[in-house]
Amino acid sequence: MSEDFDPARLAAGKAARYGELAEMIAAVIEGEPDQVARMATVASMLASAFEHFFWTGFYVVDPAKGDELVVGPYQGTLGCLRIAFGRGVCGKAAASGETQIVEDVNAFSDHIACDARSVSEIVVPVWDGAGRLIAVLDVDATTPAAFDQTDAQGLETILRQTFGAPAASA
């Protein structure tokens, strides 16, 4: 199935594109138990499916610390290595358990600039089947206000299907 993935064949409308992509991701990862493999696949397919996704990846909860995220599988430029819960957009999503949509990262008082070209961002908590926070999905764009509730719903659906538990909405 993965060799059949062609982002050019996805629907033009954002909601429909997310729906088709959710089905494709589910087909590719079916039977794959490894979370890193699942995260790498999701990051790759999302980055390929949406031209404006500048940085797409996961920050994983460090099991040794419990309140810190460590960079996981991603597509894009160099990411931050570690982010404390509550710090920046990713840390806020991890601490609150809620999806964060930031139209202008420069207006976000505690934004962590891993790459100065990022202008807007969406961060979605990732839960496992037992309802434990295991990561956050971070997507950055180089344009302002690149993300909205359609993105939040589409990404939350993909993450719920991929990792098992409902994601919170902004």
Side-chain angles (χ1 to χ4, degrees):
M1 173 64 179
S2 60
E3 56 275 351
D4 293 336
F5 178 62
D6 180 2
R9 292 194 322 228
L10 291 171
K14 190 175 5 178
R17 180 171 282 245
Y18 275 116
E20 291 176 6
L21 192 57
E23 291 177 15
M24 290 178 174
I25 289 171
V28 170
I29 64 171
E30 184 178 2
E32 177 53 61
D34 187 82
Q35 285 186 348
V36 173
R38 287 173 167 262
M39 288 179 188
T41 300
V42 169
S44 175
M45 291 179 77
L46 285 171
S48 296
F50 294 95
E51 227 175 86
H52 66 288
F53 283 23
F54 172 70
W55 196 96
T56 307
F58 292 87
Y59 285 96
V60 180
V61 176
D62 183 340
K65 301 211 176 194
D67 63 351
E68 188 172 80
L69 301 166
V70 62
V71 71
Y74 71 91
Q75 300 282 310
T77 60
L78 188 63
C80 297
L81 294 180
R82 293 187 172 268
I83 300 171
F85 277 35
R87 205 157 164 250
V89 182
C90 290
K92 183 176 179 183
S96 70
E98 297 177 351
T99 296
Q100 304 294 309
I101 299 173
V102 179
E103 293 183 355
D104 179 0
V105 296
N106 298 308
F108 188 88
S109 63
D110 193 30
H111 180 254
I112 302 168
C114 300
D115 189 311
R117 293 173 288 181
S118 292
V119 177
S120 60
E121 185 170 3
I122 185 169
V123 180
V124 183
V126 181
W127 309 95
D128 69 9
R132 290 180 298 250
L133 180 73
I134 58 170
V136 297
L137 171 67
D138 180 19
V139 183
D140 295 4
T142 58
T143 57
F147 307 105
D148 58 22
Q149 283 303 312
T150 301
D151 295 290
Q153 292 168 356
L155 294 171
E156 289 168 358
T157 296
I158 289 168
L159 295 175
R160 187 172 49 253
Q161 290 176 346
T162 304
F163 299 100
S169 183

